[in-house]
Structure formats: C-alpha cells, structure tokens
Amino acid sequence: MDTQQQQQSAIKGAKVLMVGAGGIGCELLKTLALSGFQDIHIIDMDTIEVSNLNRQFLFRRSHVGQSKAKVARDAVLRFRPHINIRSYHANVKNPEFDVDFFKQFDVVLNGLDNLDARRHVNRLCLAADVPLVESGTTGFLGQVTVHVKGKTECYECQTKPAPKTYPVCTITSTPTKFVHCIVWAKDLLFAKLFGDKNQDNDLNVRANNAASSSKETEDVFERAEDEDIDLYGRKIYDHVFGYNIEAALSNEETWKNRRRPRPIYSKEVLPESLSQQNGSTQNCSATDDDSTVSAMPLLGLKNPQELWGLTQNSLVFIEALKLFFAKRKKEIGHLTFDKDDQLAVEFVTAAANIRAESFGIPLHSLFEAKGIAGNIVHAVATTNAIVAGLIVIEAIKVLKKDSDKYRMTYCLEHPSRKMLLMPVEPFEPNPACYVCSKTPLVLEINTQKSKLRDLVDKIVTAKLGMNLPLIMHGASLLYEVGDDLDDIMVANYNANLEKSLSELPSPVINGSILTVEDLQQELSCKINVKHREEFDEEKEPEGMVLSGWTQSPATNGESASTSNNENAIEKVTESSSGPEMASKKRRLAETQPENDKKEAENVESDDDLMEIENPVMVSKKKKRVE
C-alpha cells in the first residue's frame, strides 16, 4: 500500500472528536468532511447568535437561537450525506464526557473559546491517552499545536500569560484610562447593583455631607419595596458619580499631582421627569430572551458605533437600570456581567463613560466598550479557515503516527522572514508540569486564619480548575464533592469548609502535604503547605500564593480586559508541544529585542480564544523549520 493509500485508510478509519462548533469549528467540520473523514463527533454548548453570522458560514439567520453543534452537523450532511456526524448540545465538562468517552476517539480537535474548558479537555486526553490538537485565533493571528502524552508538552506544561490586572486603588479612586472605568463599572458597580448585594467594596463610601443629609445611612444600593424606580436610579447615580467623587476629593494629598475629577449629579444632566421623555419601560419591545432587552430603542439610539455624550450616557444608565428591575427582577441578586447580554453591555458602557467624563478620560462607543469589557478582538474568517486547515494537517500526521513531522504553526499578521505561516518544532514534556509530570505544588498560606473554603474556592477550583475535587491530608479525607455522598458526609464536609486549616480534624500546618484529586479528570497532584503570617493586600489580594501552576483566566474583580483600543495584541503564542527528542533539551529563549517586549495578554475573540506570545521568540527556543 503506497503512502497516499495509507493516508486515506487512516482518515476513513478514524473516529474524531471536535470540541467547539464556532468560528474555527465551522471551518474545521467542513474541512474534515471534504478531506474524507467518515466519523465525526461534535460537542458545543452554545446557541447561534446574530453576531456569529458574519464568519460562521454554516449558520443562517433562521438558525439564531438553535444549537451550534446540531445546525453545523445538519449543514455539512447536506453536502456529505453518507458520513456519520453526531452532535452533542452540551458542556464538555458534563459528567457523561468522562475518560471512557474520550477513549473511543483516535484524536481530539479543540476549537474552544476559554482556557478552563481547554485545560479540562487536556486532562481528559492525558487520562485517556488520546492525542489532542489545540488551536486558537485572535484577529489575524492564529496557532495550532499538537499534544501527545509522553511525547510532547501537554497544554498546561507552559505558564499562560496572566491577564492584565490593575491595583484596586487605581480602579476605585484614580482611573487614568478608559479600561479602568470599564473594570469599575463591570466588576464593582454592576456586581453591586445586580449581583450579590452583600459584597463589600468601595462603592459604599459616602461623602460626609451626603451622609448627614440623607435618610439612607446604611446601604444606598438597597431599594425599598415601594421606592419609585426613577428616584432610586437618581439616588444611585448621585451616589457613585457625585457623592463618592466628593469623598475622593476630600483627600487633598491624592490630587497634588493628578487632575481632579468632577462630581456629576443627575439634576445637572437629566430632565426632571424621565418617564415623560423616554416612555414607559412597560412598553419596551422585549422578547422572551432576556439577553435581548435593550434600552437603546427607547431612547432612539440605533448605532452602537456612535459616541454618546454625557446626557445620552446618563439616560442609558437610568433606563437600563429601570429595565433590569422591570423585566429581569428575578435575576437581580445573582447576575454576572456577560458580553452577550445587551442590557448589561449598555449599562456598563454608560456607567464607564460617565465616570470617564468625571475624570477627564475620552469617552468610547458601545461597540468599543463591549470589546474592552469582553476582552474581544473581533474574529477574522480567513484566519479561522487557515487554522482549521492546519488542524486537519496535524490530525492526519497524528493518525499516521508521523511524530517526527509534528509542528506547532503560527499564523502571523505580518510576514516574518518572508513567511506568514511559521512552523516550529515542538517541545518535549515539561518535567516541572504538575498535570502531566506530577510535580508537587507549593502553597504559601496562613494556616491559622485561612479556612478550608478559601483553599477550595481560590486554589482547587479557581486555579487548578478541578470540577469534582477531593482533598486528603495523609489518610484523612477533608473534603469531597459527589452525588453519591450521604447526608452525614455532606454535613461533615460542609462543617470542615468553615474551619481554619489548622483546626481541621487532621490539622494542616506548616510542612503538611495535601493530595488533591479530580475523579472526573483522573487528575491528582500534591500540594506542599508553607505557613506564612502576612500577605501584601495589593499584590497578593487572595491572601495565599500558589507556585508551580499554570496561569488560568482571572476570576477576581481586578482583572482588566483590553481590546484594539487599549493596545492589546500584537503577538502570537501559547503552550507548545512536540515529539520526544532525547538529543534536544529545553532551553530558555534568548533576550528579546526591545521592540519585541510588548506585553502578552489573554484575549477573547468572539468565539475563539488564544494566548499571545511572540512567535519569533518561540523560534529561538526550537530551530525554525525551513
């Protein structure tokens, strides 16, 4: 059998799992089908949105609201009716997609939009010993990497660039960029109004004169049962844009070398009666889909790229707040910001612009603000198509077990050494990786003050990405999650959560070694505990420091998003992978030229997220393939 026949045989006999049916996924499914693959399974939890239609070519307007996986399957079967395509409208982290499920496939192809799901798939592929082809795009940049257990790096072997963060004091008191205002509006104000009202943040600060002249001396954000919604909206407006700015101005030392902000009150910019000007929120054209409720039509605003003035932003702020209470009251108390929630984006845009006006920062359109708030770099269909083709090329190499030819390939915006596609030899596994090499982690924590709940929420779940964690200290089981636990066990574990580490039935103190497992991911790691008395509140806000782990997406309220408007992205990269080569050792990159030292950040395109690194720097780690 010649090489061509061997390749066709490998393709036709392969069982392939695709995770993600968005921008890359649509192109990938089409390319797989046209390349001769006969058995394809697709998992995607998302439904189709209007914003997808400009690049996800398998979808039409009539498909809006339907499952991406199912519609993509049906579209491809129309021109390849004799192949087997099975779709799953579900989250890849669901229990049914366990290690045994993954074992049935010859290769897994990722087209995901978040790092948490990518790490989960990476771990399942390692446990099932199934090769993974990873991918990502952002604008004109893209990349494809291969991860094979024991031969290449796993997805988590290399530390991911940490998302851009800003000091709390900058966000709450001294913003100088529009992104600071977005973070304030999204993670402080929106969360305080529509999320957990019991959370403490600096928005509760009141100017002295305001506190003495107002009835609301406790929580200004609490709306009385019979309180008029217009008056409540004005009260919030005056508090955050007026009284709190006055409180900040009272500290003269802060403004010696800074531009002083201007307090803004509703009476200065809003008409006396908003109801007469805007109409009633009861007459708004809301649909059954809460995410489509919008304040803009009520105010005659149609173009999201139009720059609103202070009055328009103020009207949107009040109208959006009223709509949340009129149309989505049941959600208030547990809402989180979502870039696909139109009303949330309108509210955050308006609030950020009003704050920007106060601090003398240039205003931004809703389109620009959404990009910053959602970490969006808008997708380019051509990049998705190129990356999908590269995925299939690497998948075929994997099926042929042609490990010497594996490549991680970068798609560049501008030619480098006369190339727009830069293939680079991949790396061998990282011996320090806690996922695939079982290297212990080190946790610095105050064992007397920190509770087990802090460890579970901030480390095991947020940083290590475990879904069904089990924590042991020696032979003592401290915590476990699962559907098969009886009531007594659940009560015991819940009681442990509220105890400090040193007060647990098996006390965790300096020098203790914890075993943390996730039975669904079949992942286990060791954590060496080091007691530490104090932490820097600004630099170490979590009150604990974990060493030796792979950076995951930020989940705290201080992470900031960037877009083209904030000089976000100029470089490509991500974790790499490659065949095991005994003669080649891992080596650090040479020092970058000064013009290459731009900050790497996590970004999210509309559907295909990747991490950015300089491909030229990567090429210095491994010799470039000519």
Side-chain angles (χ1 to χ4, degrees):
M1 186 182 296
D2 62 25
T3 304
Q4 187 64 28
Q5 289 176 321
Q6 288 179 341
Q7 178 169 305
Q8 287 303 313
S9 176
I11 290 173
K12 289 182 179 180
K15 190 171 186 178
V16 178
L17 174 62
M18 275 180 52
V19 187
I24 291 177
C26 282
E27 295 286 352
L28 179 56
L29 182 58
K30 174 261 297 180
T31 305
L32 287 171
L34 294 177
S35 298
F37 285 84
Q38 303 288 308
D39 193 357
I40 307 167
H41 293 236
I42 318 166
I43 301 174
D44 196 303
M45 66 182 291
D46 287 340
T47 54
I48 298 163
E49 300 173 8
V50 174
S51 62
N52 302 147
L53 302 181
N54 71 327
R55 65 197 176 283
Q56 297 175 22
F57 69 97
L58 296 179
F59 308 144
R60 299 292 181 268
R61 184 170 290 273
S62 60
H63 297 140
V64 171
Q66 298 181 42
S67 161
K68 284 187 175 182
K70 183 181 183 303
V71 173
R73 169 192 178 273
D74 294 344
V76 170
L77 285 179
R78 281 199 289 272
F79 61 85
R80 278 293 183 271
H82 302 302
I83 68 175
N84 175 51
I85 304 178
R86 182 172 178 183
S87 63
Y88 306 83
H89 179 52
N91 190 332
V92 72
K93 296 173 71 174
N94 287 354
E96 63 263 33
F97 305 123
D98 56 11
V99 173
D100 289 334
F101 175 83
F102 273 70
K103 282 181 178 178
Q104 66 182 298
F105 299 101
D106 297 296
V107 65
V108 176
L109 313 177
N110 262 359
L112 285 164
D113 65 355
N114 69 88
L115 296 176
D116 187 45
R118 280 178 163 148
R119 294 192 304 168
H120 182 77
V121 171
N122 175 64
R123 295 170 186 187
L124 288 174
C125 286
L126 286 170
D129 198 8
V130 176
L132 169 65
V133 181
E134 183 58 76
S135 67
T137 66
T138 178
F140 292 102
L141 308 178
Q143 64 194 49
V144 174
T145 56
V146 183
H147 307 280
V148 180
K149 185 176 181 178
K151 294 185 177 180
T152 74
E153 284 185 331
C154 80
Y155 176 72
E156 298 177 75
C157 271
Q158 290 299 309
T159 301
K160 305 297 183 290
K164 179 69 175 178
T165 60
Y166 301 99
V168 174
C169 58
T170 299
I171 300 302
T172 58
S173 305
T174 56
T176 57
K177 300 178 180 179
F178 187 71
V179 67
H180 299 159
C181 300
I182 284 287
V183 173
W184 175 88
K186 176 173 67 124
D187 295 335
L188 295 183
L189 182 58
F190 184 89
K192 185 67 178 177
L193 279 171
F194 308 118
D196 182 4
K197 291 186 181 296
N198 294 321
Q199 67 174 322
D200 292 324
N201 63 43
D202 287 356
L203 295 180
N204 291 324
V205 173
R206 228 187 214 295
N208 293 333
N209 62 341
S212 61
S213 62
S214 174
K215 297 179 181 179
E216 299 84 36
T217 58
E218 294 184 358
D219 189 356
V220 70
F221 293 94
E222 191 66 36
R223 184 190 174 203
E225 194 66 35
D226 58 348
E227 186 172 6
D228 179 81
I229 187 62
D230 279 334
L231 294 179
Y232 174 74
R234 287 176 179 270
K235 178 179 73 174
I236 297 299
Y237 188 106
D238 291 342
H239 175 75
V240 296
F241 302 120
Y243 302 144
N244 278 359
I245 300 298
E246 285 190 7
L249 287 170
S250 65
N251 185 351
E252 293 292 338
E253 191 68 26
T254 301
W255 310 106
K256 278 187 175 180
N257 300 308
R258 291 185 176 95
R259 177 174 177 172
R260 296 171 64 88
R262 172 173 70 94
I264 301 174
Y265 290 92
S266 59
K267 63 183 180 182
E268 301 171 11
V269 292
L270 293 173
E272 288 187 12
S273 175
L274 292 174
S275 298
Q276 289 182 350
Q277 172 161 331
N278 302 341
S280 172
T281 56
Q282 303 300 321
N283 298 326
C284 72
S285 55
T287 67
D288 292 336
D289 182 2
D290 290 337
S291 65
T292 64
V293 176
S294 172
M296 289 175 62
L298 296 171
L299 301 168
L301 302 173
K302 299 178 180 180
N303 184 2
Q305 298 192 43
E306 178 186 352
L307 194 63
W308 302 335
L310 177 59
T311 298
Q312 288 173 309
N313 278 294
S314 300
L315 290 170
V316 171
F317 177 90
I318 297 293
E319 199 63 40
L321 185 145
K322 290 165 60 178
L323 283 171
F324 270 115
F325 279 92
K327 297 295 182 180
R328 300 173 61 176
K329 191 171 183 179
K330 292 181 179 178
E331 299 176 69
I332 293 176
H334 52 84
L335 274 170
T336 56
F337 177 82
D338 184 342
K339 65 181 174 60
D340 296 318
D341 184 334
Q342 176 66 19
L343 193 60
V345 172
E346 291 173 356
F347 179 86
V348 166
T349 299
N353 273 328
I354 299 168
R355 186 167 175 81
E357 176 74 20
S358 177
F359 283 85
I361 299 169
L363 309 190
H364 285 59
S365 69
L366 182 135
F367 179 80
E368 294 169 325
K370 179 180 179 180
I372 298 170
N375 280 0
I376 296 172
V377 173
H378 295 282
V380 176
T382 308
T383 312
N384 289 339
I386 293 170
V387 164
L390 293 171
I391 294 172
V392 175
I393 290 172
E394 294 305 320
I396 292 172
K397 294 177 189 176
V398 167
L399 295 172
K400 293 171 63 180
K401 303 189 184 304
D402 202 354
S403 59
D404 288 340
K405 295 184 179 178
Y406 293 165
R407 296 292 179 263
M408 54 183 190
T409 305
Y410 298 96
C411 182
L412 311 180
E413 182 174 358
H414 303 290
S416 176
R417 301 173 186 173
K418 299 182 179 180
M419 295 194 305
L420 282 173
L421 292 180
M422 180 180 286
V424 180
E425 289 184 7
F427 294 113
E428 57 192 23
N430 183 353
C433 176
Y434 78 92
V435 175
C436 66
S437 299
K438 309 302 181 187
T439 299
L441 301 168
V442 177
L443 175 65
E444 297 178 61
I445 190 171
N446 189 319
T447 57
Q448 297 170 355
K449 295 181 180 179
S450 296
K451 297 179 179 179
L452 180 61
R453 180 181 297 280
D454 298 324
L455 175 67
V456 172
D457 292 345
K458 297 178 181 179
I459 301 298
V460 177
T461 303
K463 286 186 167 59
L464 301 185
M466 294 190 177
N467 304 317
L468 299 174
L470 178 152
I471 303 175
M472 295 186 68
H473 181 211
S476 177
L477 185 56
L478 302 178
Y479 181 72
E480 185 179 7
V481 175
D483 296 331
D484 56 344
L485 304 179
D486 60 39
D487 293 341
I488 296 177
M489 295 171 70
V490 172
N492 287 338
Y493 295 145
N494 286 340
N496 282 349
L497 287 174
E498 303 309 320
K499 296 177 181 178
S500 68
L501 297 180
S502 60
E503 295 173 341
L504 290 167
S506 176
V508 176
I509 58 176
N510 186 58
S512 295
I513 300 177
L514 298 176
T515 300
V516 184
E517 299 182 7
D518 188 306
L519 300 181
Q520 182 188 11
Q521 299 174 349
E522 294 195 11
L523 174 66
S524 176
C525 65
K526 302 284 187 183
I527 299 179
N528 296 333
V529 177
K530 292 179 64 176
H531 176 78
R532 180 171 155 190
E533 285 290 333
E534 297 180 354
F535 294 85
D536 188 308
E537 292 185 3
E538 283 292 327
K539 297 179 180 178
E540 303 161 329
E542 294 175 333
M544 56 191 74
V545 176
L546 183 68
S547 305
W549 65 290
T550 302
Q551 178 72 45
S552 68
T555 56
N556 62 58
E558 296 179 33
S559 68
S561 23
T562 56
S563 77
N564 295 335
N565 306 85
E566 297 292 336
N567 302 318
I569 328 222
E570 294 213 354
K571 316 197 164 200
V572 196
T573 130
E574 185 176 60
S575 64
S576 43
S577 55
E580 186 175 3
M581 302 176 193
S583 62
K584 296 193 176 183
K585 303 294 183 183
R586 224 179 233 297
R587 59 181 182 272
L588 296 175
E590 299 169 20
T591 304
Q592 283 178 271
E594 193 62 35
N595 60 355
D596 279 340
K597 290 183 179 177
K598 291 200 176 180
E599 187 174 70
E601 298 181 5
N602 282 344
V603 297
E604 183 179 342
S605 74
D606 289 343
D607 43 46
D608 312 297
L609 178 147
M610 66 174 292
E611 276 139 24
I612 307 304
E613 183 184 29
N614 187 354
V616 177
M617 182 177 175
V618 174
S619 70
K620 293 175 181 177
K621 298 178 185 177
K622 290 284 186 178
K623 67 179 183 181
R624 180 170 56 87
V625 179
E626 297 295 343

